[in-house]
Amino acid sequence: MPDAIITSTASTFGTISGTFAADQSTITGTVTGTVTGTLSGSVGVPGPQGPTGATGATGATGATGATGAGVAVGGTTGQVLQKLSGVNYDTGWLTLPADYITSVTAPLAVTAGNLAVDLSAYLTSATAASTYQTLAGMSSYLTTSAAASTYAVIAAGQPVAGSTGQVLTKQSGTNYDSIWVTPVVGDRYLTSSTTSNTVGNGNKTFTIGTGLSYTPTQNITISYDASNHMHGEVLTYNSGTGVLTVDVNHHTGSGTYASWVVNVGGVTPATSVAWGDITGTLSTQTDLQAALDLKSNLASPTFSGTPTLPTGTIATTQSPGNNTTALATTAFVTAAVPAFATVAQVVAATSTSTSLAPGNQGFLLTNPRLYPLAFINATSLSGSGAATSSEPQTFSRQVYLATLAVGRASFRFGAIGTANAGFGTSTAKADQVDFSKKVWISGYAMMGFGGATSYLGDANKICRISLGGYSTNTTGNMTLKGIGLKKVGGVASFVTLTVHNGTTLTDVASTVAIADGAGIHWQIYSDGTGNVTLYINGTQAATTTAGPTTATASGSACYREQVEAVATPGVRQVMNCNGGWFYTE
């Protein structure tokens, strides 16, 4: 088998390489010329490996290679270069963490990147031993306290500073407390002070000039102006600091100032003499004695003439109803006990500041504006409604529902829907109520009781008492001007104040319920300005400001007590009314 390969290239026209069996050598050559013909033959099997030949001579130095990787690009000021891995040139910029040392202070220093310590300012042990005494060696020395208890103090020397001609002056009683001051030739007192003080008697302190001649007990005057000044005696004066204390025993004027003229004192001004300094007896002060003779004693005074109080003064102003021995003025008495009303005031009810004289009680009881309701006997019935007609003779009116069916029953005073029906509460029209006047209505009512046949009522039943509010005998709420009360059947429901001002119906529930078979004393007051209040058993139960303020229409001013059911009830209802009054201005 052939054991060689013959190849050729375009540039060398072919290369012959291979191993031939004839001589076990390698034939390598290049055909450089044009050769025609055919090369044929066979190559033998290679022989064994021969020994390694000697190392040949070193070849020529090759060309310099390309430049290797340099410092990584990028980075910011202060960053350092660090290896990112074991691969050559794999580096990057690193920001040192905050806990790296960035600066040092003495004795530390950084030189050429090295941390150094400069201890030249510190003592070595040898230097300290040759310079200072050891603590053990100090045992023979005195402490301050031992020295003070053993030796006398050497007197202090002169204070420092000072100028030519000055003299040494004590500032206080403390040892050695002295200063240099310029001596003053002769006595000197005139000075000033900016210490803030209030005009008045007593001990006061000022800071004045230094080196003055004030001595204790010396008279002194301290003046802000001609109207505000003080006079007294020097207590102490420190010529070094200028601190002056004075006992002021006379003064003129008042106020607080911080600008004073201070000088030696003279005669005390007469205008500031204290009362305690007056000599002699009081009787010798004729003008003062004459003025005092005109005054009364505080204890048990005796008045003469006509005692009066200054305008706008009311003795000891007492509260209404005060029943003590305190003095009171006639104005208080008049307010506490008003004058009696005249007969005209009683009948017309025009005064709010007078009281009723016992002799005029009859005029009040027979006032033509007062109407009794006890003898109402006109009824109106429909459906299951019924009334006990014999009860008015016993001052009681009873209306009820006779069966468990829709119906109504009422007693009334005045005819509804009939002009000039004679209700008689208004002087303008006999069948009107003038709600621009004050109106009172009252009575007693029992609204339901239990028994063998229960008449307590239920949610389909309602009891009503009203003045005005309707133009026909009907059921339901008021539709015209009127006032009244109502209560739904049962014992759990509350009594409600109900009013109509001609436009709007307003209901205000109370917290009053009526027990089985119980009754209430009720009162309704309309003040003529829309304020309507319901009282039950003497206590205000409900009030509103939405009441009527003008007269009702003719024929609709009827007082009515009614029981009604607008839906079939489960329990019957009854209402008994006793007595009652109507009153208007």
Side-chain angles (χ1 to χ4, degrees), residues 462-464 477 484-488 494-496 498 505 507:
I462 192 166
C463 299
R464 298 181 185 275
N477 289 321
L485 61 85
K486 60 184 180 181
K487 180 184 180 297
V488 175
F494 295 139
V495 179
T496 296
T498 180
L505 175 76
D507 288 339

Side-chain angles (χ1 to χ4, degrees), residues 61-387:
T61 302
T64 301
T67 302
V71 176
V73 298
T76 59
T77 302
Q79 287 187 310
V80 298
L81 195 64
Q82 70 166 352
K83 286 285 289 181
L84 301 178
S85 70
V87 177
N88 290 342
Y89 317 120
D90 185 14
T91 59
W93 294 107
L94 170 69
T95 299
L96 293 178
D99 56 356
Y100 276 56
I101 297 175
T102 58
S103 64
V104 296
T105 58
L108 299 178
V110 176
T111 304
N114 297 317
L115 182 65
V117 181
D118 180 10
L119 297 178
S120 60
Y122 295 86
L123 286 175
T124 64
S125 299
T127 302
S130 64
T131 305
Y132 300 99
Q133 177 65 270
T134 62
L135 290 175
M138 293 294 293
S139 60
S140 61
Y141 290 86
L142 283 175
T143 63
T144 301
S145 58
S149 62
T150 305
Y151 301 99
V153 178
I154 299 174
Q158 297 177 351
V160 297
S163 59
T164 303
Q166 288 188 311
V167 296
L168 198 62
T169 304
K170 286 282 291 182
Q171 291 192 102
S172 68
T174 303
N175 291 341
Y176 319 118
D177 184 17
S178 59
I179 60 172
W180 294 108
V181 297
T182 301
V184 178
V185 179
D187 293 338
R188 189 165 72 90
Y189 301 100
L190 179 62
T191 184
S192 62
S193 174
T194 58
T195 303
S196 179
N197 260 314
T198 301
V199 174
N201 289 357
N203 290 351
K204 298 182 183 294
T205 300
F206 295 84
T207 298
I208 61 176
T210 59
L212 302 179
S213 302
Y214 287 104
T215 57
T217 72
Q218 193 169 22
N219 287 337
I220 192 171
T221 178
I222 305 167
S223 173
Y224 173 72
D225 57 25
S227 301
N228 301 277
H229 43 86
M230 297 178 285
H231 309 270
E233 293 180 349
V234 174
L235 296 175
T236 63
Y237 171 65
N238 187 321
S239 64
T241 62
V243 176
L244 170 77
T245 60
V246 181
D247 176 19
V248 176
N249 46 42
H250 309 294
H251 72 275
T252 298
S254 61
T256 300
Y257 308 99
S259 177
W260 307 95
V261 175
V262 182
N263 206 344
V264 67
V267 179
T268 300
T271 55
S272 62
V273 175
W275 285 108
D277 293 337
I278 298 177
T279 58
T281 61
L282 180 62
S283 59
T284 61
Q285 314 298 322
T286 55
D287 54 343
L288 178 59
Q289 184 63 58
L292 292 176
D293 289 342
L294 299 176
K295 309 301 178 182
S296 295
N297 295 329
L298 290 177
S300 302
T302 300
F303 299 113
S304 60
T306 305
T308 60
L309 294 174
T311 302
T313 303
I314 305 175
T316 300
T317 304
Q318 309 300 335
S319 302
N322 188 323
N323 187 25
T324 68
T325 58
L327 293 176
T329 63
T330 56
F332 167 77
V333 174
T334 300
V337 184
F340 290 125
T342 63
V343 171
Q345 289 174 326
V346 174
V347 175
T350 57
S351 176
T352 59
S353 61
T354 55
S355 60
L356 182 68
N360 291 336
Q361 184 70 19
F363 288 100
L364 179 65
L365 296 175
T366 59
N367 193 305
R369 293 173 177 79
L370 181 65
Y371 291 85
L373 305 176
F375 295 102
I376 298 174
N377 60 8
T379 61
S380 176
L381 309 174
S382 69
S384 62

